[in-house]
Amino acid sequence: MRKRNILLILVFFIFLIMGIFVHGIYRDSVDWRDYGQRYLCDYDVKVTGLSGREVNGTTVIMVPIPASKEGKFFTPPVQKGIYFSQKLTHKVFDWSEEEDKGPYFENATEIFDNKELCSDWISFIAETNKGYMLGFRTNETKLEDIDCGVSLIADYFDIFNPINNESPILFPVENVSNASSVPYGKYTRYVSSPTYDTYVYISDNLKGRGTVSFEVQLDANNDPTEWSGEYFGWYDNILFAKVNETGYVRVKAILGQNIGGNDSTSSYSSQYYSDYFENETSDNVNETPSYTEVARSP
């Protein structure tokens, strides 16, 4: 009987240890899951027509930045403490000290402010009289095109009504078109792709030097581990414009949706998207006078 009890206790501890390791591995798979399995925002900026141009002084280009309609940057997930089971598994598998703390996601200031996101250009967050924008500056006398992209993680994005529910879109935001919605299961979705006005900026040392083309794209999805296929999806927010002026220039942005595999309102299938690529001479902008940059982070 005593041997049997010892054996049962031994089996219990074996299963306990195995359970701890299984739990630790499972929690790691959740904490360190792929970016596509989270609330994810992909933000890409391409500014062409600059390469090879010779200029004097500091060149500044500014584009809309991911923020809510009110200009509020979204908050990344807080770095949470790991479980005891994870600490044990990390010790056994010799995780690095940084990884042992759990994943850390940068906020907008850390990602954009005074970083070299693309060759020759330093990015900064600008505070203008139109609101926050993302700026690129260089003192090079021969310019290169801008081509960069980042992924931003959040605790939550509302893909059903991102304009009015504080999800990131291309900000500044002015004159939003009728963004009416229709029922969609327990939620609603847009009837068609809303449009609105936003701004780009080109410094005066590029005045009279031809067309500069802007392609700014933002795609944000909800977490497929939290939402069923019917409600999983994303919204796409794009700005395509060809600009021949300097200073602040008002341009049009469009927002589309793809929810549950239905992309009928995707901005990538819209006339807005087709017009930009089919009519290379078209300038889809409304020009406004130049303004002075209010401030930027040092």
Side-chain angles (χ1 to χ4, degrees):
M1 179 66 78
R2 184 180 177 186
K3 288 183 179 181
R4 183 182 177 188
N5 290 340
I6 292 174
L7 181 60
L8 289 174
I9 293 172
L10 182 60
V11 170
F12 170 78
F13 275 106
I14 290 173
F15 277 102
L16 177 63
I17 293 171
M18 289 177 59
I20 290 173
F21 274 88
V22 168
H23 181 264
I25 293 170
Y26 166 73
R27 289 308 314 176
D28 282 338
S29 70
V30 172
D31 290 348
W32 294 92
R33 65 190 185 274
D34 182 76
Y35 274 17
Q37 301 298 305
R38 298 179 179 274
Y39 287 99
L40 173 70
C41 171
D42 283 325
Y43 171 71
D44 295 284
V45 177
K46 183 180 292 185
V47 184
T48 57
L50 299 171
S51 286
R53 294 192 186 189
E54 296 185 357
V55 295
N56 295 317
T58 301
T59 303
V60 175
I61 301 290
M62 291 196 289
V63 298
I65 196 169
S68 71
K69 183 177 69 173
E70 294 74 27
K72 179 181 177 182
F73 297 137
F74 65 90
T75 304
V78 175
Q79 188 176 28
K80 300 175 181 177
I82 60 175
Y83 288 87
F84 171 74
S85 59
Q86 291 174 282
K87 292 180 181 179
L88 287 181
T89 55
H90 293 181
K91 191 73 173 176
V92 169
F93 294 114
D94 195 26
W95 284 45
S96 69
E97 183 178 346
E98 190 62 33
E99 290 176 317
D100 199 40
K101 298 176 182 177
Y104 174 79
F105 301 105
E106 295 178 299
N107 60 38
T109 301
E110 291 172 302
I111 291 175
F112 295 127
D113 211 18
N114 287 294
K115 292 285 184 69
E116 211 169 296
L117 294 181
C118 52
S119 178
D120 296 330
W121 295 89
I122 300 299
S123 67
F124 62 91
I125 298 173
E127 184 180 358
T128 76
N129 58 356
K130 293 301 179 184
Y132 290 112
M133 297 180 71
L134 176 62
F136 298 89
R137 68 177 182 272
T138 182
N139 291 319
E140 296 291 330
T141 56
K142 191 171 184 179
L143 301 181
E144 296 290 338
D145 287 342
I146 295 171
D147 189 356
C148 65
V150 297
S151 294
L152 309 165
I153 304 296
D155 277 322
Y156 180 76
F157 292 141
D158 186 322
I159 69 168
F160 302 98
N161 186 4
I163 292 177
N164 297 308
N165 289 334
E166 298 190 341
S167 291
I169 56 178
L170 297 176
F171 179 87
V173 179
E174 294 181 356
N175 304 318
V176 180
S177 68
N178 181 23
S180 58
S181 299
V182 293
Y184 182 82
K186 301 176 183 178
Y187 303 90
T188 62
R189 62 175 297 161
Y190 296 136
V191 175
S192 57
S193 299
T195 61
Y196 62 90
D197 293 334
T198 187
Y199 290 85
V200 296
Y201 175 88
I202 302 174
S203 57
D204 286 341
N205 64 339
L206 285 169
K207 191 173 183 66
R209 293 176 177 267
T211 299
V212 177
S213 297
F214 290 83
E215 299 178 24
V216 186
Q217 306 179 53
L218 181 156
D219 296 284
N221 62 262
N222 57 9
D223 187 338
T225 67
E226 295 184 11
W227 295 84
S228 63
E230 179 185 4
Y231 296 115
F232 169 70
W234 58 88
Y235 60 91
D236 48 80
N237 190 192
I238 60 177
L239 179 170
F240 291 149
K242 300 176 180 69
V243 179
N244 294 307
E245 298 298 319
T246 57
Y248 288 86
V249 181
R250 188 168 64 215
V251 297
K252 190 73 70 178
I254 186 172
L255 188 146
Q257 291 173 306
N258 185 319
I259 303 175
N262 182 354
D263 65 350
S264 59
T265 58
S266 170
S267 55
Y268 295 104
S269 61
S270 67
Q271 192 61 42
Y272 172 99
Y273 183 88
S274 299
D275 285 346
Y276 176 81
F277 289 102
E278 291 177 4
N279 187 354
E280 291 298 329
T281 62
S282 176
D283 189 350
N284 302 314
V285 303
N286 294 315
E287 299 165 12
T288 62
S290 298
Y291 297 93
T292 302
E293 184 181 337
V294 176
R296 64 171 175 78
S297 300

